[in-house]
Structures are given as structure tokens and as C-alpha cells.
Amino acid sequence: MKSIFINVFNVDFHRYISLLIIIVFIRQTSAGVLPSQDSVSLYTANDKVVILTNQNFSSTVYQSKTAWLIEFYASWCGHCQSYANTYREVAIDTWGWKRIVRIGAINCYTEENSAICDQHTITAFPTLRLIAPETTFNTSKAISLTANDAKDVERELIKELDALQIADKTWPRFRPLNQIAFSDIYSHAPTSVKLMLLIVEKQDDYTGRQIMLDFSKYHEQLTIFRTTIDGKLWHRFQLNITELPALLIVHPNRTTERINTKQNNNENMGSRNLFNYAIRSYIHEKKCIDDFNDRDLEEIIHSKNALKNADKLKKSDTDEKKPDDVVETNTISEKLSMVDLETALSYMLRREIPRIKEIQGEAYDALLHWLTVLIKYFPGREPVMTYLKNLLSKVDNQPNGITGKKFREFADINTPESYLPNNQVRYQYCTGSLPRYRGYPCGLWLLFHTLTVSQVQSEPKRMRIIEIPSAVKSFIKHFFGCRHCSDNFMKETSDFHQLDSGDKNSAIIYLWKIHNHVNKRLHGDETEDPKHPKVQFPSENLCSKCQSDDNNFDMTTTLNFLLKFYSKNNIDLTSVEDFTPSGNIQDELTRKPSIDQYEMIEINHDSTKKFRNIRYIISIIQRFPFYFLIFSVIIIIIIRKRYCKGKRKRYTL
Ligand SMILES: Cc1cc2nc3c(=O)[nH]c(=O)nc-3n(C[C@H](O)[C@H](O)[C@H](O)COP(=O)(O)OP(=O)(O)OC[C@H]3O[C@@H](n4cnc5c(N)ncnc54)[C@H](O)[C@@H]3O)c2cc1C
């Protein structure tokens, strides 16, 4: 009997353990729905850009022998996506400079990397920073981002490398040799030098410095100096040189020899390429540098061609796609998702806004205005609305402004009665066909439209038409990380003060028009998800009567559609997350502000108090399955021991 029982018990015990392990496994893998670092990165291992993460940042960048140019970006940011090819080009063009400077990029969107981006006080994307060699911590230098041109970035980079004024002999001597005696020139080179070149150029020319960097790998044998036409050295040459920039060999006996840089007949080659070609030809011919090879150059040419081909392929792909194909693949959602709205809110409050180190003055007013509008018009669930009210009251209690860090601390507080799910990346209808598409900006647009409709439907006694457009505008101005998008939006909404105050729907129409304008601008752009093309909204599939034959919108039908589409009744609540405890639970209810001060609209009650305790326990189990497993195993072992002990006693009696 005993052995039968123990066997049965053992079988059940093992089954139970296996079941628990499976549950834990499923739970862990479903948590893995979160995009991995690799999947959201805008760069791949095939690029010459080093992918930096929280795992490798410190060990790679700090105390490095080389300087680092780092792009801090967010993969959701449209401008970062368009900019990625420019940055790839920068990395290819500077591949030969890797002994002096490396090119890296870090995605600030992932939670894991966010602390590094915060350390570097990154407030807008993309931001380029230069970190000097041997830097111990975040003494990074801002390097301004000029246009979309890789050449401009390279010039900025050279200027900044030059400004570092590193005296090390292995570092290129960027400063022109203007104040030295020509007879002394060899004393400025290492004793191992086998070839000395002098580039004579105008002051603002970059050729000399580019060439120094291109050949920096051979610094022990090849010394390259530059002199500009205002210095002493120039006077020695000016009779012989009529065309600048010029390339000279300085022999050990101080005689000079001009190298013909026009050997290559390609008219389109810039002076950097012409000089490169001439120097390489000379070295190959004279065999004056040991182990000299063109491997880096070959790699550069190969990578450039690959980049061009990928670009061409993408363009022809977009051009060839017939409109019908596009519509076929486009999944059209007729509903809104509360998950999307809450996820965008969570990312905004916990990541976007806290990026601003000191929220003061105009930015602080913008924050108060934005939170007030959310509280008044966001058609959220009860605990989410309480969360927003608590947050506003805390911010309001800091009249001199608030640090981003403090704001994040406040925004992180979740309690069973006042919470915003701490999910910042998982979207429902705003999910793109690739992790970099859609997501946060999609959720933001939906939130803005929902607010305008909610304002009209809540029928406040005194309605200020520009209340929402002005709150949205100042939020975008101060807090939207995609700087380029924010600048565009500021221009596109410059006329918002002229909104018709006599028409209660004018804010809805205004935002709809602006959004369609942005859709038109971005249609066919590389930020466009091929499965969700940026068409004029609402498309025919969503509202067949909104657009007439001549592609103009019928305003009455369109307005009715928008009022319905963005109404709170059209929000899908099925997949919303309930409360999960975070590290710093505090009972915030004791400090609950009076809600009467806000003109509240009706909100959805999706949970009854009756089940709150059970849900709370379940949420803890879901949150900590591993501890739950260990706890269960211990309980089972104790019960089993007790039972066996009892049995043994009974048998011995
Ligand atoms: C304020 C702002 C400015 C931006 N500026 C830029 C920029 O300059 N450059 C850039 O690359 N990216 C910009 N973006 C991002 C870009 O607009 C998209 O949000 C992003 O590319 C994701 O596109 P999406 O396909 O998810 O559709 P989104 O344009 O994000 O739209 C989300 C959803 O809104 C609905 N919708 C679409 N159009 C309308 C409309 N007219 N009225 C009402 N509802 C509509 C649809 O259901 C759609 O799925 C900006 C985003 C915001 C919030």
C-alpha cells in the first residue's frame, strides 16, 4: 500500500514538476515576443557600423585606443530610418580611418540601452557624438549633424578630430606645418619613416586631413604633413605651385618632388580620390612601404557597391509595386486598440519625457498642459486615469520644474488602483511588418485623434477649440524624440491659431488634414511599411463614401466617420494588461488628488472590485513564475516529507 501510494505520489509529483516547468517555459518564451536587440537594430553585421548595446558599450568605447563616432538613434524614428543609409556611407568612407576613429551606433529604443543614452543626455534622435580616445566615462562631445550628406558628416568629424589636439606621435598631425623651418621637417616625423609627403592646400581644404586618415595605418613608415598657403612653408613653394591642392614628396635631403595627381583621367574624382590613387601608385611602383596593400580600399569599393545595389533594389521594388498589390497586403483595422494607446502613453511618460534632463519653463508648462489634456479627454480605464491624475498632481507639486529622472520615478509608480501597464514596445494594431515600422509614432497619432474626438463627445460646457492642438504641438515641440519630425510638424501646424472657434469639430478636421499631409509627404519613403502604405485616410476600404470620384473628401461623411472611428466605443479593450507590481510599489492612494478639478468624461470600468484580490495574486504569479515554481516545489517536498513521516509512524506502532 505504502509503495503504491509513494509511486502514485512520485508519478504525480513528477507530472506536476514537468507541468510547472512547461508553464514557466511558455511564460518565458511568450515574454520573448518583445523584439530582440538585433531585430530592432537599423544596422546589421554586414554594415561597417559597429552595433553597440548595453552589453558591449563600456568595454568597446571607454578607454579605447581610438576615438568613436556614435549615432544614438531610436529605431521607431522615421528620420533615423532615412538617415541610416547616410550613416552607412560615412562608415564605409571612413573604414580606412579605423586606427583613429571607429563608427558605431546604439538604439536607444530598447529598454536595455536606455541607461547609456541617458548617461549621454540624448534628447533627440538621431544624435551624433564623438568620444575621444582613452575616455573613461561619458565625456562625449556633441558633433552637429548636418543635412543628409555623408560628406558633410565626414568633414564635421575631421574638424572635431582636429580639435581634440592629440599630441601623440602616432596620431595624424592635422595642424598645418606653417611655423617650422623646412630644414626641420624630418624632426617632426618618427625615425622609422620611409616616405614623407607634404600636401599644400588652402586653409579650409579637407584633402590633406582626409589623406592623413586614409593612410593612418602606415603611420610608422609614411608621414603626411600639410601646409596652408598662409604659412612660412608655403613661401618656399609658391613659385613652383600654381594649382592647389598639391602633393609633394619630401626626400631626406630636403629636396621635393611633385607627384602628378591627375594620372587618373576620371573627371568626376574628387581630390581625395585623385590623391589616394596617386599615392598608392607611387608606393606600389617604388615598393617603399613594407606590407603595403589595398585591402581596405577593396573592402570600401565592395561595400559601396553593395550599398548602392541594395538601394537600387529597394527603389525598383517600390516603383514596381502596383497600387492593387499594396492594398491587398494592407491589413486594415476598423477598430482602435487600447493596448496601442496605453503602450504609446507608457513609452511617452517613462522614456520620452524623462529624457529631458531639466523640465523647466516652457517645457514644464507644456508638460502640465499635456497631462491635463490627457486627464480631461483620454478615454482610459479607471486605474489608468487615476495614474494620470496622480502623476499630474506630483508634477504640479514641483512649481520650479522637475528633473527627467524624478519624473521617471513618478511615472514608474504602479499600484493596484492606479497604474499604466509598463509595456513600452508591444503594440496590437500598430504592429509593423518589421519591428522598426510603425509602433510608437502610430500610437501617438491615434492618441491625438482620439483626444480631439473625445473632447467633442464629452461636450464640455466651455470648449476651447485650440486646447488639444496647442497641447499636442507643445508636447511634440519639447518632447518628441524624432527631432526632424518635430521640426516638420512645427512648420506644418504654424497656422493652428486660425482654427475656427465657432465650429466644435474644427480640431478633429485640422489634425486629420495635417496627418494626411504627413502621409502624402512620406508616401513611398523608406520609412513606409510596405504592408501599411501611407494612403490618404480614410481609405476606400474603411469608408467607401468618404472620397468622391475625383479623390476629394466629402467633409460631412468624413467627419462622421472620424467621430465614429475615434470614439471610445470603437476601442478594443480585449488585450489590455492588468496591474503587475514593479520594484517600487507605494500606496499612492493616500495622496490621491481631488478629481473634481478636471472636467472628467465617462471612463470604462473593465474590472470589478470583487475580483481585484484574486487578480492581484494571479498577476504576482504571472510576474514571478520562477519563484512561484520554487515555492510550489518546496511546499510539495514539505507535504511529502510530512506524509511519509506520518505513514512511517503508523507502520511502527
Ligand atoms: C507628429 C508626428 C510627426 C511626424 N513626422 C514625421 C516626419 O517628418 N518624418 C517621418 O519619417 N515620420 C514622421 N512621423 C511618423 C509617421 O507619421 C508615422 O507615424 C510612422 O511612419 C508610422 O506610420 P504608420 O504606417 O503606422 O501610420 P501613421 O501615419 O502613424 O498612422 C497611424 C494610424 O492612424 C490612422 N490615420 C492615418 N492617417 C490618418 C488621418 N489623416 N486622420 C486620422 N487617422 C489617420 C490610420 O489608422 C493609421 O494606421 C511623425 C509622427 C508624428 C506623430
Side-chain angles (χ1 to χ4, degrees):
M1 178 67 192
K2 177 193 167 195
S3 70
I4 289 172
F5 176 81
I6 287 179
N7 277 344
V8 169
F9 187 91
N10 269 344
V11 169
D12 280 353
F13 178 74
H14 287 128
R15 267 196 202 143
Y16 187 71
I17 295 292
S18 313
L19 192 67
L20 277 173
I21 288 170
I22 289 167
I23 290 171
V24 171
F25 179 74
I26 290 170
R27 170 78 196 161
Q28 298 299 79
T29 39
S30 69
V33 173
L34 292 176
S36 67
Q37 290 252 19
D38 284 354
S39 71
V40 284
S41 175
L42 293 184
Y43 301 97
T44 68
N46 293 333
D47 293 315
K48 293 271 176 270
V49 177
V50 177
I51 299 172
L52 297 166
T53 65
N54 62 322
Q55 299 288 322
N56 65 1
F57 195 93
S58 300
S59 57
T60 313
V61 173
Y62 296 136
Q63 294 189 310
S64 160
K65 292 263 173 282
T66 71
W68 276 87
L69 177 68
I70 299 171
E71 182 201 15
F72 293 84
Y73 71 92
S75 46
W76 57 260
C77 150
H79 185 56
C80 302
Q81 291 168 20
S82 322
Y83 186 73
N85 254 4
T86 303
Y87 200 61
R88 281 188 193 102
E89 204 181 320
V90 172
I92 294 171
D93 275 350
T94 59
W95 183 240
W97 307 2
K98 55 187 181 296
R99 207 189 62 79
I100 303 299
V101 60
R102 302 292 316 265
I103 309 294
I106 183 163
N107 185 1
C108 299
Y109 183 39
T110 65
E111 177 77 47
E112 301 94 308
N113 295 341
S114 63
I116 291 169
C117 303
D118 289 347
Q119 275 165 17
H120 290 266
T121 50
I122 303 301
T123 53
F125 305 116
T127 292
L128 288 192
R129 286 279 161 90
L130 181 69
I131 299 190
E134 311 282 354
T135 296
T136 42
F137 196 46
N138 57 344
T139 46
S140 62
K141 202 170 182 319
I143 172 171
S144 65
L145 188 74
T146 18
N148 275 334
D149 187 354
K151 296 281 168 284
D152 280 350
V153 175
E154 283 157 37
R155 282 189 204 111
E156 292 275 351
L157 176 60
I158 288 177
K159 245 199 263 169
E160 296 301 329
L161 288 172
D162 189 346
L164 290 177
Q165 297 203 10
I166 292 177
D168 190 326
K169 279 215 162 171
T170 66
W171 190 264
R173 187 181 167 124
F174 294 121
R175 292 283 142 106
L177 278 187
N178 286 344
Q179 302 305 327
I180 64 156
F182 186 68
S183 51
D184 279 350
I185 197 164
Y186 262 81
S187 67
H188 294 272
T191 46
S192 53
V193 64
K194 292 189 173 153
L195 176 65
M196 181 181 286
L197 300 173
L198 181 67
I199 292 166
V200 188
E201 61 187 354
K202 288 184 188 151
Q203 256 159 313
D204 55 359
D205 199 337
Y206 287 89
T207 312
R209 286 168 285 181
Q210 283 169 331
I211 295 296
M212 286 177 195
L213 287 160
D214 285 341
F215 291 92
S216 52
K217 188 170 151 187
Y218 301 102
H219 67 101
E220 281 169 2
Q221 304 176 66
L222 172 61
T223 295
I224 304 173
F225 291 133
R226 63 189 279 258
T227 185
T228 54
I229 51 176
D230 56 343
K232 261 193 208 168
L233 277 180
W234 160 249
H235 293 297
R236 192 189 146 82
F237 302 117
Q238 65 179 338
L239 292 175
N240 312 335
I241 299 169
T242 49
E243 220 178 305
L244 293 176
L247 177 63
L248 302 162
I249 296 171
V250 182
H251 293 294
N253 62 3
R254 313 298 187 265
T255 56
T256 56
E257 178 189 343
R258 177 100 192 253
I259 298 187
N260 176 14
T261 51
K262 299 277 165 65
Q263 301 162 41
N264 193 309
N265 293 329
N266 189 341
E267 298 257 303
N268 298 325
M269 266 174 122
S271 49
R272 177 186 176 189
N273 287 343
L274 289 172
F275 276 46
N276 228 299
Y277 185 84
I279 295 169
R280 282 176 194 281
S281 307
Y282 182 87
I283 295 173
H284 280 304
E285 189 194 324
K286 303 284 178 193
K287 299 196 179 2
C288 51
I289 304 285
D290 300 337
D291 302 324
F292 187 81
N293 62 61
D294 292 328
R295 246 174 270 137
D296 280 350
L297 186 67
E298 281 158 14
E299 225 174 308
I300 290 173
I301 293 168
H302 173 78
S303 303
K304 274 209 159 174
N305 288 339
L307 190 66
K308 263 190 208 149
N309 290 341
D311 220 28
K312 263 192 214 154
L313 206 72
K314 217 170 170 185
K315 276 204 180 100
S316 66
D317 240 26
T318 329
D319 293 346
E320 277 169 22
K321 207 168 264 168
K322 286 173 256 133
D324 287 352
D325 294 348
V326 170
V327 174
E328 233 171 76
T329 51
N330 186 12
T331 44
I332 296 158
S333 162
E334 289 176 2
K335 273 191 156 286
L336 299 177
S337 152
M338 187 54 90
V339 171
D340 290 350
L341 298 174
E342 288 182 357
T343 303
L345 261 182
S346 179
Y347 180 78
M348 168 204 296
L349 298 173
R350 294 179 172 129
R351 300 281 297 284
E352 280 267 87
I353 295 173
R355 255 199 304 273
I356 309 302
K357 215 170 176 191
E358 299 287 342
I359 305 171
Q360 285 169 341
E362 218 187 286
Y364 177 72
D365 293 343
L367 180 58
L368 286 183
H369 190 182
W370 177 239
L371 288 174
T372 308
V373 158
L374 282 175
I375 289 165
K376 283 169 79 173
Y377 305 118
F378 180 57
R381 301 183 281 156
E382 187 184 354
V384 174
M385 298 314 293
T386 313
Y387 166 94
L388 290 171
K389 281 170 224 150
N390 287 341
L391 190 58
L392 174 60
S393 91
K394 288 192 192 86
V395 177
D396 210 13
N397 276 339
Q398 318 264 329
N400 299 326
I402 184 168
T403 62
K405 197 168 166 230
K406 193 86 205 147
F407 184 81
R408 168 86 201 231
E409 276 169 28
F410 291 154
D412 272 342
I413 298 170
N414 270 354
T415 68
E417 283 80 17
S418 154
Y419 65 82
L420 176 65
N422 197 356
N423 156 29
Q424 295 157 35
V425 287
R426 208 177 292 125
Y427 288 89
Q428 201 175 5
Y429 300 153
C430 275
T431 306
S433 61
L434 287 176
R436 70 166 177 272
Y437 292 132
R438 314 197 76 211
Y440 177 57
C442 170
L444 259 194
W445 276 123
L446 296 179
L447 181 62
F448 297 160
H449 293 298
T450 305
L451 292 175
T452 56
V453 168
S454 171
Q455 185 192 32
V456 170
Q457 290 177 343
S458 66
E459 293 174 353
K461 285 176 210 107
R462 280 180 299 108
M463 185 165 159
R464 276 203 321 124
I465 297 296
I466 63 162
E467 185 180 12
I468 293 175
S470 77
V472 165
K473 193 168 171 173
S474 48
F475 165 77
I476 293 287
K477 180 178 172 195
H478 292 283
F479 302 109
F480 194 36
C482 178
R483 193 44 61 212
H484 185 75
C485 306
S486 166
D487 292 346
N488 285 336
F489 191 70
M490 289 307 113
K491 282 182 214 142
E492 277 155 346
T493 53
S494 58
D495 60 348
F496 86 103
H497 285 291
Q498 294 162 12
L499 274 178
D500 180 2
S501 55
D503 176 3
K504 66 174 183 168
N505 296 312
S506 57
I508 301 177
I509 297 292
Y510 182 73
L511 211 61
W512 163 74
K513 277 191 182 159
I514 296 285
H515 193 171
N516 265 349
H517 188 74
V518 175
N519 291 343
K520 196 169 173 186
R521 176 160 55 81
L522 299 177
H523 180 53
D525 183 276
E526 57 198 292
T527 64
E528 182 177 60
D529 184 341
K531 295 251 164 94
H532 299 269
K534 289 181 182 9
V535 290
Q536 292 299 286
F537 183 90
S539 63
E540 226 193 307
N541 314 48
L542 276 177
C543 173
S544 57
K545 293 197 177 125
C546 285
Q547 286 190 55
S548 54
D549 292 340
D550 52 1
N551 279 346
N552 284 327
F553 282 95
D554 177 273
M555 290 317 293
T556 317
T557 326
T558 304
L559 176 63
N560 286 337
F561 170 83
L562 292 171
L563 284 166
K564 207 168 145 216
F565 188 81
Y566 285 106
S567 76
K568 71 171 193 260
N569 297 331
N570 198 35
I571 301 179
D572 176 0
L573 286 155
T574 47
S575 304
V576 287
E577 276 181 42
D578 284 324
F579 171 70
T580 48
S582 60
N584 50 349
I585 308 166
Q586 289 177 23
D587 186 6
E588 289 304 303
L589 286 180
T590 49
R591 277 179 275 156
K592 194 174 171 181
S594 148
I595 61 167
D596 300 338
Q597 55 191 301
Y598 314 112
E599 290 171 61
M600 280 296 300
I601 60 160
E602 195 193 327
I603 43 182
N604 286 301
H605 298 255
D606 75 324
S607 61
T608 55
K609 288 199 171 95
K610 206 170 139 195
F611 294 111
R612 196 163 279 155
N613 289 341
I614 298 171
R615 294 173 88 159
Y616 181 55
I617 293 167
I618 292 173
S619 73
I620 289 182
I621 294 171
Q622 282 178 337
R623 179 97 176 159
F624 304 109
F626 184 67
Y627 297 113
F628 176 66
L629 171 73
I630 292 180
F631 176 74
S632 310
V633 171
I634 292 170
I635 295 289
I636 290 165
I637 291 171
I638 292 170
I639 294 172
R640 196 183 164 208
K641 273 196 168 171
R642 287 247 163 105
Y643 181 83
C644 293
K645 224 171 159 183
K647 279 257 160 192
R648 235 177 283 131
K649 267 186 190 162
R650 246 183 283 148
Y651 282 116
T652 48
L653 271 177

